[in-house]
Amino acid sequence: MLHKFYPSEYVDSVYRIDFEHLHKQGYRGVIFDIDNTLVPHGAPADAQAEQLFAHLKKLGFRCCLLSNNKEPRVRMFNRTIRAEYIFKAHKPRTANYKKAMQLLKTTKDNTLFVGDQIFTDIWGANLTGIRTILVKPINPKEEIQIVLKRYPEKLVLHFYKKWQKRKKQDK
């Protein structure tokens, strides 16, 4: 039952993902959440985010920001990143994940999604059939509605980690 919320991978930070390896595996598009995935909530793109997107473009990735925020927030972050973007995405609904792939000219088989929230980011991408990478939130200071979601997320992560451990033992 909880498997629909499980990410394909769980890593400490978006900045530790081996995008070179993923590109060699055939991935060509990356859809990102912004807040607490790439930067702290509400922050503009910093040097680290700018370097990441420049690196991804150099590797040949197409990138899209998919955010439930309003356009001014997304546009402000994207000012120096210059990626495709979709605001008010209504995650976890699948429509805008599909629209992001259309913008990127990719398919569910060669697209990744990277985000920090299980019940919006990961669940929506899983429903769409996209490989998912869950990252730990950058900053613990969050809006109350997100803080409240973190408690059931901890439960899902507990069972996810047990499931991962069993998978490794079965190999």
Side-chain angles (χ1 to χ4, degrees):
M1 178 180 122
L2 292 178
H3 288 256
K4 64 185 171 188
F5 300 114
Y6 290 175
S8 306
E9 272 181 78
Y10 182 40
V11 298
D12 287 339
S13 168
V14 67
Y15 302 105
R16 298 199 176 208
I17 297 171
D18 186 350
F19 286 104
E20 291 87 355
H21 179 70
L22 292 166
H23 191 270
K24 287 177 187 169
Q25 290 181 329
Y27 290 95
R28 296 298 181 261
V30 187
I31 304 169
F32 290 97
D33 175 55
I34 300 171
D35 287 327
N36 255 346
T37 297
L38 293 162
V39 293
H41 185 80
D46 57 15
Q48 193 174 26
E50 291 171 1
Q51 288 171 359
L52 173 65
F53 279 81
H55 179 66
L56 291 171
K57 290 173 185 176
K58 188 176 178 183
L59 286 173
F61 278 104
R62 294 173 162 260
C63 300
C64 184
L65 305 170
L66 186 66
S67 177
N68 284 346
N69 280 302
K70 295 177 182 172
E71 187 175 21
R73 161 64 184 131
V74 179
R75 189 175 352 106
M76 181 263 289
F77 176 84
N78 195 44
R79 189 170 293 129
T80 57
I81 298 297
R82 295 198 172 105
E84 298 286 347
Y85 70 84
I86 299 170
F87 60 95
K88 286 189 182 178
H90 302 288
K91 295 179 286 185
R93 292 184 189 163
T94 61
N96 282 314
Y97 291 86
K98 293 173 185 173
K99 182 178 177 184
M101 288 187 288
Q102 289 174 343
L103 290 171
L104 298 176
K105 296 177 177 60
T106 59
T107 68
K108 64 182 181 179
D109 297 322
N110 66 358
T111 306
L112 305 161
F113 182 89
V114 182
D116 71 297
Q117 291 188 56
I118 290 174
F119 298 119
T120 52
D121 299 329
I122 301 305
W123 188 23
N126 284 345
L127 288 169
T128 310
I130 302 171
R131 181 175 174 177
T132 55
I133 302 176
L134 177 68
V135 297
K136 292 179 181 175
I138 289 175
N139 190 335
K141 186 179 179 189
E142 299 179 293
E143 295 174 339
I144 189 65
Q145 71 270 16
I146 296 170
V147 170
L148 294 174
K149 285 192 264 184
R150 295 293 184 197
Y151 293 104
E153 280 187 357
K154 286 179 183 176
L155 184 64
V156 172
L157 283 173
H158 169 78
F159 287 107
Y160 168 76
K161 289 173 185 175
K162 286 178 80 168
W163 177 70
Q164 287 289 87
K165 192 175 183 179
R166 276 195 309 270
K167 274 178 48 175
K168 285 181 182 175
Q169 289 172 348
D170 290 345
K171 286 185 177 182

